[in-house]
Amino acid sequence: MSVHWFDKLFKHRGIIWLLFIVNLLGTIYGYIWYGNQLEFTAANYPLWLLPFVPDSPTASLFFTLALLLMLFPPKSYTGNNVRELIEALAVVTSVKYGLWAVSIIFAGGYQGDVLVWKDWMLVVSHLGMAVEALIYARFFSFRKMIPLALFWTLANDMLDYSYGIYPWLPSVLNDDVTQVQYFTMALTVFSVVAAWLFSRRQRPEESIYQFKNRR
């Protein structure tokens, strides 16, 4: 059976390299975007909380690494397990924070926040995060790592709203933090279900391949 044109397109190394570069640049820009909040967190909170502050850039980083490992697959059993964990984190967090950012921007706009071009840029880029993650979920083999991705994302949620290090909200939403928290945790569950539904089962020959690579 011939491979569908859709699969051919998104598994083409040129397309993967293009998406890798776009996501790498987006990740760097995302960490710069969080610069002020990172500085504020470093000055007012324990330093170990810093990795949990820039949610969207970290999701983008996971996806960027997943693309890199798609281009250069690991050849060991341990390497393949690390790859599957990164893929699981990439899909779950990219869907979750992609949809979260868009929802928060529009919720702010609904309550009177004026949307400017940067908001629309964020809407497009974050929707892109979610869409590309679901597209590539069909090419990844990460189902057994979904529980770990769920644990990481829920732990991030708990830290965000227990310590108050969640991404800064539009000012009109500052009195809706509790509702945002519930929405965020519900979105985590939704993203895990979406990752499971869009992923594929690992084929037997892939397990054999990984076993041979381990030798």
Side-chain angles (χ1 to χ4, degrees):
M1 182 181 296
S2 61
V3 180
H4 193 274
W5 69 267
F6 184 88
D7 291 1
K8 280 187 174 181
L9 174 64
F10 286 99
K11 292 175 75 173
H12 191 280
R13 291 184 68 86
I15 296 297
I16 299 173
W17 270 116
L18 175 62
L19 289 175
F20 170 80
I21 293 171
V22 170
N23 278 273
L24 178 61
L25 295 176
T27 299
I28 294 170
Y29 177 78
Y31 282 114
I32 294 172
W33 179 277
Y34 271 86
N36 290 336
Q37 188 171 356
L38 287 168
E39 289 180 8
F40 178 84
T41 303
N44 295 277
Y45 294 89
L47 293 180
W48 64 269
L49 289 171
L50 285 175
F52 300 98
V53 172
D55 294 333
S56 292
T58 301
S60 179
L61 176 62
F62 285 139
F63 190 78
T64 303
L65 292 174
L67 291 176
L68 185 64
L69 292 171
M70 195 173 181
L71 290 165
F72 303 101
K75 298 184 181 299
S76 67
Y77 178 77
T78 300
N80 276 295
N81 281 329
V82 171
R83 173 187 178 180
E84 291 172 12
L85 177 58
I86 290 174
E87 290 173 347
L89 290 168
V91 174
V92 171
T93 60
S94 292
V95 172
K96 187 259 184 72
Y97 294 115
L99 296 179
W100 185 91
V102 173
S103 300
I104 293 301
I105 290 170
F106 285 149
Y110 178 77
Q111 293 200 27
D113 191 35
V114 178
L115 302 186
V116 298
W117 71 267
K118 285 187 178 181
D119 295 306
W120 293 108
M121 178 270 292
L122 291 173
V123 166
V124 172
S125 61
H126 282 79
L127 276 179
M129 283 176 57
V131 170
E132 68 181 1
L134 293 177
I135 288 175
Y136 277 88
R138 62 187 280 112
F139 307 133
F140 295 156
S141 300
F142 61 85
R143 277 193 168 187
K144 70 181 182 182
M145 294 296 183
I146 285 181
L148 289 177
L150 172 61
F151 174 80
W152 165 273
T153 312
L154 282 177
N156 198 6
D157 292 343
M158 295 301 296
L159 290 171
D160 276 357
Y161 294 94
S162 296
Y163 287 89
I165 59 168
Y166 51 84
W168 286 343
L169 303 171
S171 58
V172 294
L173 296 181
N174 285 338
D175 57 348
D176 297 314
V177 173
T178 300
Q179 291 86 341
V180 171
Q181 177 183 0
Y182 292 149
F183 169 73
T184 300
M185 299 186 75
L187 195 54
T188 293
V189 176
F190 172 85
S191 300
V192 167
V193 173
W196 177 270
L197 293 176
F198 278 79
S199 65
R200 62 180 174 82
R201 294 181 182 275
Q202 187 180 45
R203 296 189 294 268
E205 59 267 28
E206 290 176 325
S207 297
I208 295 172
Y209 173 75
Q210 290 178 5
F211 175 77
K212 287 181 178 179
N213 280 339
R214 182 176 49 173
R215 299 178 59 184

